[in-house]
Amino acid sequence: MPALTEADTCRKYILPKLYAAGWSDDQISEQKTFTDGRIIVAGNKCSRKKPKRADYLLRYRRDFMIAVVEAKASYKKPGDGIQQAKEYAETLGLKFAYSTNGHGIIEHDYLTGRERILDTFPSPDELWNRIRQAEGISNNAIANIITSPCYHLSGKTPRYYQEIAINRSIQAVLNGKRRILLNMATGTGKTVVVFQIIWKLWNTRWNRTGEYRRPKILYLADRNILIDDPKDKIFAPFGDARWKIEGEAVKSREIYFAIYQSIAKDERRLGLYREYAQDFFDLIIVDECHRGSARDESNWREILEYFEPAYQIGITATPLREENKDTYLYFGNPIYTYSLKQGIEDGFLAPYKVHRVVSSVDAAGWRPSEGELDRYGREIPDGEYSTKDFETIISLKGRTEAIAKHLSNYLKKTNRFDKTIIFCVDQEHAEDMRKSLNNLNSDLAKEFSDYVCRVVSEEGDIGRGHLSRFQELETETPAILTTSRLLTTGVDMPTCKNVVIVKVINSMTDFKQIIGRGTRVRDDYGKLYFTIMDYTGSATKLFADPDFDGEPAIITEEEINNIGDVVGKPVVTMPEEYNSAEDSGEHAPTIKDIADVPDITPRKYYVDNGSIEIAADIVYELDADGKKLRVVKLTDYTGEKIREIFTSAAELRSKWSIADERTTIIETLADKGILLEDLIEVSGDPDVDPFDLLCNLAFHSPKRSRRERADRIKKEQKEFFERYDTDARQILNEILDKYIEHGTAQFKIPDILKIEPISRYGNVMEIADKFGGTEQLRKAVYEMQNLLYAG
């Protein structure tokens, strides 16, 4: 009797054991996928690695996962899957991991650190009681709140990491922790997490004093866009319980929204927040809390301190840095972190390419000629101006136009309607960039007046209208938005494909917020990765920071001339690090230098003359493991990866000559970001056989063309062809001719049989009959492939 497979074991033994222990179908998720699989970018093509899938996830309640079970075939040992089960349990934040072959059961208990052999699975109540005892959850009312359901009518079930963040936050509040911090990367659904936290507490009538009432909750942020959108959309299920605090202290609702500026003190008032009693709110949610609310010197900090009795949950997307240390000092260490790196690894966030584009003035600096006057007739102070000075001290019209020309050309090569955000130095710079892009794309602007728009604070409702249309999935325009700081945080842009940096960014916090505009994934709209166009070196500099946790998938370097055209070919590299150019010896005048000049109304010097070129453009990539690569050519990288898999050309040949093995090799290389068609293109030898190219790159073997291989088999393997009659022999020769023209894909049966001139010999069955049947046909083509790569 054959041994039972893993699937047989699950059906015959494991499920009955779970049922016997008291687990119901509602509590058992079988073959549960909990990640989407990392997105691999190779050239302009994308694929996904296999998602993580648990054999069984066990839930105490619908929204409270409690254990993971890994199943193995009955002929294996019960503990063969325990390492996999532990890995999944640690990812999912579970306290119990099990491995079983259907007979014996191995349990790893994270509460005690012990492993033991079991005959039966523990019941749901037993596991929950073990957690309650270990974590001191003695109150039944508290236990019921922790395991209470999320809101599901929206059709969106929380992802695994969101469920962890929700449940840990609820438990922290119920355990009396007054200051709580969640660190979740941009694009991972922080607002959904906050909604569910509030829903569970509101729906179960939790409050700070233990009275029978719903809680009073305040949702705080620093921008209207971070308040209005959640209030009107995600938080709609709360209905009339919602209220935005503006102008007066309404006290009859339960879920309040406010921006600091509307309730904080200023020179005209003591602060609207003081019209609420200090103990009015039970819970305060501080969205994007790294943006100043917890700084010691911030008057916004006064609001949090005034409402000291309330529980306060801070939400941030940035790890601890010098610029946000006050946030961590105030809220404490995060109770849960879901990083950009982990989001990309799980396939929930989009990886990205980086184009580092360098203009001539950014590369070499700019210096005015003696006595040179700006647009307003002012003499420009002598000095060496560099990237950090452009658009802060000196405004070079030619640089803006060169960048706009280069970006327009890039979009013409990709897709002119790809949603693109450009981060400029200030509002004025954003307007200059908008104007240049509009004029360079006047053919589209003539048809779509909003093809490129500026969205800055002074635009008000008009700018918000542009932004709203940009966010919509089905709208084509606006296709390009220029901004300075307004769009750096809290704005969901699911189909944004290009993030353009034309300002110097020194803050890791700001950088992560900016690239977060592109990290959303939308498979249904073809949005699987995005591109960062870096014209200031900010991105590549911050990638080298050891604290950065989400390196790029591709980096490209290009040079552009004075009118924005690319000079030479782009350099595509696989980077380990990128060292930005050092400042030149002489430095530009500082802002203080300019401020000392009396009676100057414009705050910059404006230079309208002169031509500026793009000097370089680099493309950065990551390998499929998410590791930053060295700056090497694709060919060198391929050779290195082949040597990691095969020790010699002979070993590679032994696998390559077998069709199934060859397919596996091609798929393995694709998972590492290496596509054979791209490799052949880079090699500059379109006629080379892929096998010979790989051997050449890895082991320095001589390259052979496909024609050389085909001619050799015809000449040296006549005996093989003479086994078949005239028609069959001619069909094999026609397949070889197709191989010469197109490569190994032409050995695919039955597809090749449907193509001229082979199809002239009849349909698939008629052609197979010429070889004595379908199986004999496959064997003939299979043997011919083996002979093709035999030497």
Side-chain angles (χ1 to χ4, degrees):
M1 182 177 176
L4 294 179
T5 65
E6 185 177 304
D8 294 332
T9 302
C10 289
R11 286 190 297 270
K12 188 171 183 178
Y13 295 114
I14 299 176
L15 272 176
K17 281 181 178 287
L18 287 170
Y19 292 147
W23 297 91
S24 68
D25 286 330
D26 290 340
Q27 294 174 297
I28 301 170
S29 296
E30 188 173 1
Q31 292 298 310
K32 180 65 174 179
T33 297
F34 58 90
T35 71
D36 283 354
R38 182 187 176 92
I39 298 167
I40 305 301
V41 182
N44 291 319
K45 297 181 180 179
C46 293
S47 61
R48 282 188 183 270
K49 298 181 81 171
K50 289 183 179 179
K52 292 182 179 179
R53 177 182 291 121
D55 290 326
Y56 295 99
L57 287 180
L58 305 182
R59 296 178 177 273
Y60 180 66
R61 293 288 184 266
R62 177 177 181 176
D63 297 309
F64 195 87
M65 278 189 293
I66 201 166
V68 61
V69 179
E70 276 301 298
K72 291 299 174 185
S74 61
Y75 61 85
K76 294 190 175 183
K77 295 178 181 178
D80 282 356
I82 195 64
Q83 293 303 321
Q84 183 71 79
K86 287 170 65 177
E87 178 188 326
Y88 287 168
E90 288 162 17
T91 298
L92 296 168
L94 305 178
K95 301 301 182 186
F96 307 103
Y98 297 91
S99 174
T100 179
N101 63 355
H103 302 293
I105 301 169
I106 305 296
E107 175 192 75
H108 184 90
D109 184 342
Y110 282 88
L111 299 173
T112 63
R114 298 181 60 190
E115 287 189 8
R116 57 178 181 152
I117 301 173
L118 304 175
D119 293 323
T120 60
F121 286 104
S123 69
D125 286 336
E126 180 184 340
L127 293 186
W128 175 229
N129 287 333
R130 282 155 68 176
I131 289 177
R132 288 185 63 173
Q133 183 177 358
E135 299 184 359
I137 309 171
S138 57
N139 186 299
N140 288 333
I142 289 177
N144 289 335
I145 295 174
I146 292 173
T147 59
S148 65
C150 290
Y151 181 85
H152 286 278
L153 294 182
S154 64
K156 289 187 176 181
T157 299
R159 293 169 173 166
Y160 83 86
Y161 63 86
Q162 293 172 328
E163 189 171 319
I164 295 172
I166 293 163
N167 290 335
R168 287 192 184 176
S169 298
I170 295 291
Q171 193 163 344
V173 168
L174 297 176
N175 286 341
K177 186 174 174 61
R178 294 284 176 157
R179 304 289 178 267
I180 300 164
L181 184 63
L182 289 175
N183 187 334
M184 300 180 68
T186 300
T188 57
K190 296 189 294 295
T191 309
V192 171
V193 168
V194 170
F195 167 81
Q196 295 290 3
I197 292 170
I198 294 175
W199 174 265
K200 292 180 76 164
L201 294 175
W202 183 81
N203 200 43
T204 56
R205 294 182 178 270
W206 167 88
N207 57 74
R208 184 174 45 80
T209 59
E211 302 169 87
Y212 184 74
R213 63 175 176 84
R214 296 194 190 275
K216 302 283 190 180
I217 298 173
L218 175 62
Y219 189 124
L220 266 179
D222 69 336
R223 300 183 185 190
N224 278 307
I225 198 169
L226 301 179
I227 290 296
D228 296 338
D229 200 56
K231 180 181 75 69
D232 296 337
K233 296 177 182 177
I234 294 177
F235 282 78
F238 288 105
D240 291 339
R242 298 167 295 164
W243 185 260
K244 183 179 180 182
I245 302 173
E246 289 180 301
E248 62 176 317
V250 172
K251 300 176 183 179
S252 59
R253 307 302 175 92
E254 292 156 353
I255 312 296
Y256 296 82
F257 298 82
I259 60 171
Y260 300 105
Q261 298 91 322
S262 68
I263 63 175
K265 72 176 183 180
D266 55 31
E267 62 277 3
R268 296 178 289 106
R269 61 186 183 185
L270 291 175
L272 184 59
Y273 72 91
R274 290 185 176 274
E275 295 186 25
Y276 292 91
Q278 284 186 278
D279 60 356
F280 182 82
F281 294 109
D282 297 289
L283 174 68
I284 297 178
I285 303 291
V286 186
D287 194 15
E288 306 288 356
C289 62
H290 60 276
R291 294 182 56 81
S293 59
R295 289 179 187 164
D296 286 334
E297 70 277 8
S298 171
N299 66 348
W300 298 348
R301 171 76 166 263
E302 293 182 11
I303 299 172
L304 300 184
E305 291 177 341
Y306 176 81
F307 293 119
E308 187 274 336
Y311 288 80
Q312 298 177 11
I313 300 178
I315 313 293
T316 184
T318 59
L320 175 61
R321 307 280 297 181
E322 180 62 29
E323 68 248 36
N324 67 359
K325 65 180 181 181
D326 287 338
T327 299
Y328 282 74
L329 288 172
Y330 184 81
F331 287 102
N333 289 325
I335 62 168
Y336 183 61
T337 295
Y338 189 74
S339 67
L340 173 65
K341 181 178 182 180
Q342 189 63 50
I344 293 174
E345 178 60 34
D346 286 343
F348 295 129
L349 296 182
Y352 47 93
K353 301 179 179 183
V354 178
H355 282 259
R356 170 67 176 112
V357 186
V358 187
S359 76
S360 56
V361 292
D362 289 278
W366 183 87
R367 189 169 191 167
S369 57
E370 185 176 353
E372 184 172 350
L373 304 180
D374 82 339
R375 180 189 303 165
Y376 298 100
R378 300 171 297 166
E379 183 173 340
I380 303 171
D382 188 31
E384 192 74 32
Y385 296 87
S386 61
T387 303
K388 62 182 174 57
D389 306 309
F390 299 141
E391 302 306 325
T392 57
I393 298 172
I394 193 85
S395 176
L396 300 176
K397 182 180 179 182
R399 177 176 178 268
T400 298
E401 291 179 343
I403 291 172
K405 174 69 177 301
H406 177 267
L407 178 59
S408 295
N409 289 339
Y410 171 80
L411 291 173
K412 287 174 183 176
K413 289 187 293 184
T414 53
N415 185 342
R416 297 176 78 184
F417 287 97
D418 279 350
K419 297 290 180 74
T420 301
I421 307 174
I422 306 171
F423 290 94
C424 302
V425 174
D426 55 25
Q427 298 189 29
E428 181 183 36
H429 187 211
E431 174 58 18
D432 292 342
M433 186 64 68
R434 184 205 64 78
K435 190 184 303 180
S436 293
L437 285 165
N438 182 86
N439 293 339
L440 287 164
N441 296 277
S442 57
D443 58 324
L444 290 180
K446 181 172 60 176
E447 185 177 355
F448 305 97
S449 61
D450 62 346
Y451 175 72
V452 52
C453 298
R454 184 180 73 150
V455 177
V456 295
S457 58
E458 68 181 31
E459 296 281 1
D461 290 340
I462 294 175
R464 281 190 287 274
H466 295 323
L467 174 59
S468 179
R469 293 194 306 279
F470 184 87
Q471 291 176 279
E472 291 176 12
L473 295 171
E474 302 294 343
T475 60
E476 280 192 318
T477 59
I480 304 173
L481 294 185
T482 66
T483 187
S484 53
R485 290 191 59 85
L486 188 60
L487 305 183
T488 57
T489 183
V491 181
D492 188 13
M493 300 175 175
T495 57
C496 177
K497 289 194 173 182
N498 299 299
V499 174
V500 182
I501 300 174
V502 197
K503 62 188 289 185
V504 174
I505 304 168
N506 293 313
S507 163
M508 179 66 77
T509 298
D510 288 348
F511 176 59
K512 282 198 168 185
Q513 292 294 331
I514 284 174
I515 65 173
R517 299 315 102 213
T519 53
R520 272 74 170 180
V521 174
R522 285 303 300 250
D523 297 70
D524 49 343
Y525 284 84
K527 164 68 185 303
L528 291 169
Y529 71 92
F530 68 104
T531 299
I532 298 174
M533 304 292 290
D534 180 13
Y535 290 92
T536 65
S538 297
T540 42
K541 176 186 69 176
L542 290 167
F543 289 147
D545 189 309
D547 291 334
F548 185 70
D549 67 351
E551 296 90 345
I554 302 175
I555 302 180
T556 307
E557 182 170 4
E558 286 181 356
E559 298 182 4
I560 57 176
N561 61 20
N562 59 337
I563 57 172
D565 293 329
V566 175
V567 178
K569 292 185 176 181
V571 179
V572 180
T573 57
M574 311 289 194
E576 184 171 68
E577 60 183 358
Y578 178 86
N579 296 318
S580 56
E582 297 293 330
D583 289 340
S584 55
E586 293 187 71
H587 296 280
T590 64
I591 293 291
K592 182 178 183 300
D593 296 330
I594 294 181
D596 291 338
V597 180
D599 300 322
I600 295 180
T601 302
R603 61 185 184 86
K604 310 176 193 176
Y605 291 97
Y606 298 85
V607 180
D608 296 335
N609 301 320
S611 61
I612 294 173
E613 305 176 351
I614 296 294
D617 185 331
I618 306 173
V619 178
Y620 290 81
E621 285 199 28
L622 283 190
D623 69 10
D625 297 323
K627 297 177 181 177
K628 193 181 291 187
L629 305 173
R630 295 189 302 276
V631 181
V632 293
K633 294 179 180 178
L634 178 61
T635 50
D636 295 339
Y637 170 65
T638 302
E640 180 181 312
K641 293 304 172 185
I642 288 292
R643 288 191 296 273
E644 289 178 3
I645 304 171
F646 303 102
T647 58
S648 65
E651 184 184 0
L652 173 57
R653 180 183 291 107
S654 69
K655 302 292 185 182
W656 189 269
S657 61
I658 302 171
D660 290 344
E661 296 282 0
R662 181 168 64 248
T663 299
T664 300
I665 293 170
I666 293 171
E667 290 175 351
T668 300
L669 292 176
D671 283 345
K672 295 181 179 297
I674 302 168
L675 297 180
L676 291 182
E677 51 265 41
D678 292 345
L679 192 62
I680 291 171
E681 183 179 352
V682 170
S683 74
D685 192 349
D687 297 325
V688 69
D689 186 278
F691 166 76
D692 293 294
L693 178 57
L694 294 175
C695 286
N696 175 262
L697 296 176
F699 308 110
H700 307 293
S701 303
K703 287 191 289 186
R704 290 182 178 176
S705 68
R706 295 190 296 274
R707 180 171 294 281
E708 285 180 82
R709 285 200 169 273
D711 289 346
R712 183 185 60 79
I713 191 176
K714 289 178 182 179
K715 180 179 179 182
E716 297 180 5
Q717 301 293 335
K718 291 181 180 179
E719 183 181 344
F720 165 74
F721 290 98
E722 289 172 356
R723 293 185 210 161
Y724 304 97
D725 63 23
T726 304
D727 282 352
R729 189 162 56 243
Q730 187 59 36
I731 289 169
L732 291 174
N733 277 290
E734 296 284 6
I735 292 175
L736 273 181
D737 289 341
K738 289 295 182 182
Y739 156 75
I740 294 171
E741 187 176 357
H742 299 293
T744 54
Q746 304 311 308
F747 292 127
K748 189 174 182 181
I749 301 295
D751 297 3
I752 184 62
L753 307 180
K754 302 173 184 177
I755 299 174
E756 288 276 356
I758 302 171
S759 60
R760 295 175 187 171
Y761 292 90
N763 60 33
V764 172
M765 294 305 299
E766 290 169 340
I767 292 174
D769 287 342
K770 297 181 184 298
F771 289 83
T774 303
E775 188 59 32
Q776 288 76 8
L777 167 62
R778 291 187 183 278
K779 285 183 177 179
V781 175
Y782 182 82
E783 184 178 355
M784 185 168 69
Q785 291 179 77
N786 290 341
L787 293 172
L788 191 68
Y789 294 107

